[in-house]
Structure formats: structure tokens, C-alpha cells
Coordinates of all heavy atoms in Angstrom, one line a residue:
M1 N -5.5 11.5 -2.6 CA -5.4 12.7 -3.3 C -5.0 12.4 -4.8 O -5.5 12.9 -5.7 CB -4.4 13.7 -2.6 CG -4.3 15.0 -3.3 SD -2.9 16.0 -2.6 CE -1.5 15.0 -3.0
W2 N -3.8 11.7 -4.9 CA -3.2 11.5 -6.2 C -4.1 10.6 -7.1 O -4.2 10.8 -8.2 CB -1.8 10.8 -6.0 CG -0.8 11.9 -5.6 CD1 -0.2 11.8 -4.3 CD2 -0.3 12.9 -6.3 NE1 0.7 13.0 -4.2 CE2 0.6 13.6 -5.4 CE3 -0.6 13.5 -7.6 CZ2 1.3 14.8 -5.8 CZ3 0.2 14.6 -7.9 CH2 1.1 15.3 -7.0
Y3 N -4.8 9.6 -6.5 CA -5.8 8.9 -7.3 C -6.9 9.7 -7.8 O -7.4 9.6 -8.9 CB -6.3 7.6 -6.6 CG -5.4 6.6 -6.2 CD1 -5.3 5.9 -5.0 CD2 -4.5 6.1 -7.2 CE1 -4.5 4.9 -4.7 CE2 -3.6 5.1 -7.0 CZ -3.6 4.5 -5.8 OH -2.8 3.3 -5.5
S4 N -7.3 10.7 -7.1 CA -8.4 11.5 -7.4 C -8.0 12.5 -8.5 O -8.7 12.7 -9.5 CB -8.8 12.7 -6.2 OG -9.3 11.9 -5.2
V5 N -6.7 12.9 -8.5 CA -6.2 13.8 -9.6 C -6.0 12.8 -10.9 O -6.5 13.3 -12.0 CB -4.7 14.3 -9.3 CG1 -4.1 15.0 -10.5 CG2 -4.8 15.2 -8.0
A6 N -5.6 11.7 -10.8 CA -5.5 10.8 -11.9 C -6.9 10.5 -12.5 O -7.0 10.5 -13.7 CB -4.8 9.5 -11.5
S7 N -7.9 10.3 -11.6 CA -9.2 10.0 -12.1 C -9.8 11.2 -12.9 O -10.4 11.1 -14.0 CB -10.1 9.7 -10.9 OG -9.8 8.6 -10.2
A8 N -9.5 12.5 -12.4 CA -10.0 13.6 -13.0 C -9.3 13.8 -14.3 O -9.8 14.3 -15.3 CB -9.8 14.8 -12.2
L9 N -8.1 13.3 -14.5 CA -7.3 13.4 -15.8 C -7.8 12.3 -16.7 O -7.2 12.2 -17.8 CB -5.8 13.4 -15.5 CG -5.2 14.6 -14.8 CD1 -3.8 14.2 -14.3 CD2 -5.3 15.7 -15.7
G10 N -8.6 11.4 -16.3 CA -9.1 10.4 -17.3 C -8.5 9.1 -17.2 O -8.6 8.2 -18.0
V11 N -7.6 8.9 -16.1 CA -7.0 7.5 -16.0 C -8.0 6.5 -15.3 O -8.2 6.7 -14.1 CB -5.7 7.6 -15.1 CG1 -5.0 6.3 -15.0 CG2 -4.7 8.7 -15.7
E12 N -8.6 5.7 -16.1 CA -9.7 4.9 -15.6 C -9.4 4.0 -14.4 O -10.1 3.9 -13.4 CB -10.2 4.0 -16.8 CG -10.8 4.8 -17.9 CD -12.1 5.3 -17.5 OE1 -12.9 4.7 -16.6 OE2 -12.5 6.4 -18.0
V13 N -8.1 3.4 -14.5 CA -7.8 2.4 -13.4 C -7.7 3.1 -12.0 O -7.7 2.5 -11.0 CB -6.4 1.7 -13.7 CG1 -6.6 0.9 -15.0 CG2 -5.3 2.7 -13.9
A14 N -7.5 4.4 -12.1 CA -7.3 5.1 -10.8 C -8.7 5.3 -10.0 O -8.7 5.5 -8.8 CB -6.8 6.5 -11.0
I15 N -9.7 5.2 -10.7 CA -11.1 5.3 -10.1 C -11.4 4.4 -9.0 O -11.8 4.6 -7.8 CB -12.3 5.4 -11.1 CG1 -12.0 6.5 -12.2 CG2 -13.6 5.4 -10.6 CD1 -12.9 6.6 -13.3
D16 N -11.0 3.1 -9.4 CA -11.3 2.0 -8.4 C -10.4 2.2 -7.1 O -10.8 2.0 -6.0 CB -11.2 0.6 -9.0 CG -12.3 0.2 -10.0 OD1 -13.3 0.9 -9.9 OD2 -12.0 -0.7 -10.7
E17 N -9.1 2.6 -7.4 CA -8.2 2.7 -6.3 C -8.6 3.9 -5.4 O -8.6 3.8 -4.2 CB -6.7 2.9 -6.9 CG -6.2 1.9 -7.7 CD -6.0 0.5 -6.8 OE1 -5.7 0.8 -5.6 OE2 -6.2 -0.5 -7.5
R18 N -9.0 5.0 -6.1 CA -9.6 6.1 -5.3 C -10.7 5.8 -4.3 O -10.8 6.1 -3.2 CB -10.0 7.2 -6.2 CG -10.6 8.5 -5.7 CD -11.4 9.3 -6.5 NE -12.6 8.5 -7.0 CZ -13.3 8.8 -8.0 NH1 -13.1 9.9 -8.7 NH2 -14.5 8.1 -8.4
D19 N -11.7 5.0 -5.0 CA -12.9 4.6 -4.2 C -12.6 3.7 -3.1 O -13.2 3.7 -2.0 CB -13.8 4.1 -5.1 CG -14.5 5.1 -6.1 OD1 -14.2 6.3 -5.9 OD2 -15.1 4.7 -7.1
K20 N -11.6 2.7 -3.3 CA -11.2 1.8 -2.2 C -10.5 2.5 -1.2 O -10.7 2.3 0.1 CB -10.1 0.7 -2.8 CG -10.9 -0.4 -3.5 CD -10.0 -1.5 -3.8 CE -9.0 -1.2 -5.0 NZ -8.2 -2.3 -5.5
V21 N -9.6 3.5 -1.4 CA -8.9 4.3 -0.4 C -9.7 5.2 0.3 O -9.7 5.4 1.6 CB -7.7 5.1 -1.1 CG1 -7.0 6.0 0.0 CG2 -6.6 4.0 -1.6
E22 N -10.9 5.7 -0.3 CA -11.7 6.7 0.3 C -12.3 6.1 1.6 O -12.5 6.8 2.5 CB -12.8 7.1 -0.6 CG -13.9 8.0 -0.1 CD -15.1 8.4 -1.1 OE1 -14.8 8.1 -2.3 OE2 -16.0 8.9 -0.6
R23 N -12.6 4.7 1.5 CA -13.2 4.1 2.7 C -12.3 4.0 3.9 O -12.8 3.7 5.0 CB -13.7 2.8 2.3 CG -14.8 2.7 1.2 CD -15.5 1.4 1.0 NE -14.6 0.4 0.2 CZ -14.7 0.3 -1.0 NH1 -15.5 1.1 -1.7 NH2 -13.9 -0.5 -1.7
K24 N -11.0 4.4 3.7 CA -10.1 4.4 4.9 C -10.0 5.7 5.6 O -9.4 5.8 6.6 CB -8.7 4.0 4.3 CG -8.7 2.7 3.6 CD -8.6 1.6 4.6 CE -8.3 0.3 3.9 NZ -8.3 -0.9 4.9
L25 N -10.7 6.8 5.0 CA -10.5 8.1 5.5 C -11.8 8.6 6.3 O -12.9 8.2 5.9 CB -10.3 9.2 4.3 CG -9.2 8.7 3.4 CD1 -9.1 9.8 2.3 CD2 -7.9 8.7 4.1
D26 N -11.6 9.3 7.3 CA -12.6 10.0 8.1 C -13.1 11.2 7.2 O -12.4 11.6 6.2 CB -12.2 10.4 9.4 CG -11.1 11.4 9.5 OD1 -11.2 12.6 8.9 OD2 -9.9 11.1 9.9
S27 N -14.3 11.8 7.5 CA -14.9 12.8 6.7 C -14.0 14.1 6.7 O -13.9 14.6 5.6 CB -16.3 13.1 7.2 OG -16.3 13.5 8.5
D28 N -13.4 14.4 7.8 CA -12.6 15.7 7.8 C -11.4 15.5 6.9 O -11.0 16.5 6.1 CB -12.1 16.1 9.2 CG -13.2 16.5 10.2 OD1 -14.2 17.0 9.5 OD2 -13.0 16.4 11.3
T29 N -10.7 14.4 6.9 CA -9.5 14.2 6.1 C -10.0 14.1 4.6 O -9.2 14.6 3.7 CB -8.9 12.9 6.4 OG1 -8.4 12.9 7.8 CG2 -7.6 12.6 5.6
L30 N -11.1 13.4 4.4 CA -11.5 13.4 3.0 C -11.8 14.7 2.3 O -11.3 14.9 1.2 CB -12.9 12.5 3.0 CG -13.6 12.3 1.6 CD1 -12.5 11.5 0.7 CD2 -14.8 11.5 1.7
V31 N -12.5 15.5 3.0 CA -12.7 17.0 2.6 C -11.4 17.6 2.2 O -11.2 18.4 1.2 CB -13.6 17.7 3.5 CG1 -13.7 19.2 3.1 CG2 -15.0 17.2 3.5
K32 N -10.4 17.5 3.2 CA -9.2 18.2 3.1 C -8.5 17.8 1.8 O -7.9 18.5 1.1 CB -8.4 18.0 4.3 CG -7.0 18.6 4.3 CD -6.1 18.3 5.5 CE -4.7 18.7 5.4 NZ -3.8 18.4 6.5
M33 N -8.4 16.4 1.7 CA -7.6 15.9 0.5 C -8.4 16.2 -0.8 O -7.8 16.3 -1.9 CB -7.4 14.4 0.7 CG -6.7 14.0 1.9 SD -5.2 15.2 2.3 CE -4.1 14.9 1.1

């Protein structure tokens, strides 16, 4: 969630972190977050 917010705010380094963490989540949790 926080990496997604940071990515939307233009923090470039957060994008890779967001995408790595996304792979750890199931689809229901992903939509919720």
C-alpha cells in the first residue's frame, strides 16, 4: 500500500519495491490494498 502511494507521488525507487511485494499478495488482498 505505502509503496503504491509513493509510486503515485512520483518516487521512482518505490515502483520496483511495489512490484516485488505485489507478487507476495493474493488477488483479494491486492485489490483491497
Side-chain angles (χ1 to χ4, degrees):
M1 179 189 69
W2 287 111
Y3 289 141
S4 293
V5 176
S7 299
L9 289 169
V11 182
E12 292 292 328
V13 296
I15 297 173
D16 286 342
E17 297 298 327
R18 179 201 63 194
D19 293 346
K20 282 189 285 188
V21 172
E22 178 181 343
R23 294 192 283 271
K24 302 283 188 179
L25 304 178
D26 61 64
S27 57
D28 287 339
T29 303
L30 182 61
V31 170
K32 177 183 176 183
M33 300 321 290

